[in-house]
Amino acid sequence: MRISFRTKLTLGFDLVLILFSILIVNFFYSKAHYVQRDNLRSRLIGIASTAALMIDGDSHELLRAPPDASRPEFEKIRAVLTRIRESNPGIRFIYTMRRSRTPGMTEFVIDEAEEVDENGNGIIDPPEERAEIGRLYDATPYPEMISAFQGPRADRILQSDQWGTWLSGYAPIFNSRRQPVGILGIDMAADDVRREEKVLEITALFILSLAVIASFVVGIILARHFTDPIRELLKGIRRIGEGKWA
């Protein structure tokens, strides 16, 4: 089957315009995704920073071992953490930690979560456990957690541990002498993070679809714009060849 010159030209314009549209949409999507993730990190940092100011660092220092979970200081701080979590629906877990004597390790102080058999198998599986006071946690894969003793931080990428996959924010807890005696951490589940980012993806796909349709239309218009004068020129040449000068 013979394909006309106009059709070839139309397909060529369409291909170039579609590729250009994909590049442009992908560029702006990448920029928007970065800004959205950065805004989410800023939100986590803001919540963690505000929450850390509500923690009594002197009371926090008194909690050194699992039996200290029965102290009134523990229950008071845990109640504060519960109120903060309930006030921020996007936050799945909230907890406090302190430095460990082991390099790269931190210790849990207060894990606000309850131990619940969520899968109903009759036992508390690792993702359902509540961390006791003094439980060691390997923080080496989480540089933002380690540096949070110097100031508020948030993970740059989704991070995973035995409890799941999260985007987390951290802020230092200070005692009355303004010394950092721990950090407060908050976790947003990866599913919630992806749900927020899904809206951006759908928007980008919608814009790309419109751009592809527009590319087809513009390709047809451009092809017609270039081929119509050529057709008229060829007709004129053909008439001259036939001896029709007028």
Side-chain angles (χ1 to χ4, degrees):
M1 183 177 67
R2 186 177 179 182
I3 301 177
S4 67
F5 176 69
R6 173 177 284 186
T7 301
K8 292 179 181 179
L9 196 59
T10 300
L11 292 175
F13 279 130
D14 287 343
L15 180 60
V16 171
L17 290 170
I18 289 171
L19 289 175
F20 182 73
S21 299
I22 292 173
L23 290 174
I24 292 296
V25 172
N26 182 67
F27 173 79
F28 283 105
Y29 169 76
S30 298
K31 291 291 184 182
H33 182 267
Y34 174 82
V35 171
Q36 185 182 48
R37 179 63 65 89
D38 198 51
N39 287 340
L40 185 54
R41 293 181 64 246
S42 296
R43 197 169 87 201
L44 290 172
I45 288 174
I47 295 172
S49 298
T50 302
L53 294 174
M54 301 170 67
I55 304 302
D56 184 339
D58 294 332
S59 297
H60 193 266
E61 285 187 283
L62 299 175
L63 307 174
R64 310 302 302 178
D68 291 331
S70 61
R71 296 181 64 118
E73 292 87 354
F74 180 94
E75 289 301 328
K76 183 178 179 180
I77 295 175
R78 185 163 181 255
V80 171
L81 297 180
T82 299
R83 288 200 303 272
I84 294 167
R85 178 181 55 77
E86 291 176 346
S87 300
N88 297 276
I91 303 305
R92 293 286 187 92
F93 293 119
I94 182 168
Y95 47 87
T96 67
M97 291 179 162
R98 61 169 168 257
R99 287 190 178 95
S100 168
R101 294 178 181 177
T102 305
M105 304 288 284
T106 57
E107 294 181 8
F108 278 99
V109 180
I110 300 178
D111 181 2
E112 186 271 340
E114 293 282 359
E115 286 193 343
V116 178
D117 181 16
E118 294 183 351
N119 59 15
N121 65 353
I123 59 174
I124 298 298
D125 296 314
E128 301 165 341
E129 292 176 353
R130 184 173 74 180
E132 291 187 328
I133 300 174
R135 176 172 175 171
L136 290 174
Y137 186 84
D138 182 8
T140 51
Y142 318 110
E144 304 300 335
M145 175 186 288
I146 295 174
S147 63
F149 288 93
Q150 282 72 53
R153 302 284 192 275
D155 292 334
R156 298 184 180 278
I157 59 174
L158 294 172
Q159 301 279 15
S160 299
D161 59 16
Q162 76 169 63
W163 288 278
T165 301
W166 320 96
L167 190 69
S168 303
Y170 317 94
I173 298 170
F174 296 98
N175 61 15
S176 57
R177 300 180 298 280
R178 296 302 299 165
Q179 297 170 326
V181 295
I183 59 170
L184 181 143
I186 55 174
D187 295 340
M188 174 179 279
D191 289 345
D192 296 330
V193 175
R194 295 188 182 107
R195 191 176 299 113
E196 292 197 14
E197 296 177 346
K198 190 70 175 177
V199 176
L200 180 61
E201 292 177 9
I202 293 173
T203 302
L205 287 173
F206 176 72
I207 294 173
L208 180 59
S209 300
L210 292 179
V212 169
I213 294 172
S215 296
F216 278 112
V217 175
V218 173
I220 293 171
I221 294 172
L222 287 175
R224 182 175 298 172
H225 174 76
F226 283 103
T227 56
D228 282 349
I230 294 174
R231 279 187 172 184
E232 292 301 318
L233 178 61
L234 291 174
K235 286 180 182 178
I237 294 172
R238 195 175 296 116
R239 283 197 301 268
I240 292 172
E242 294 172 354
K244 299 177 182 178
W245 299 94

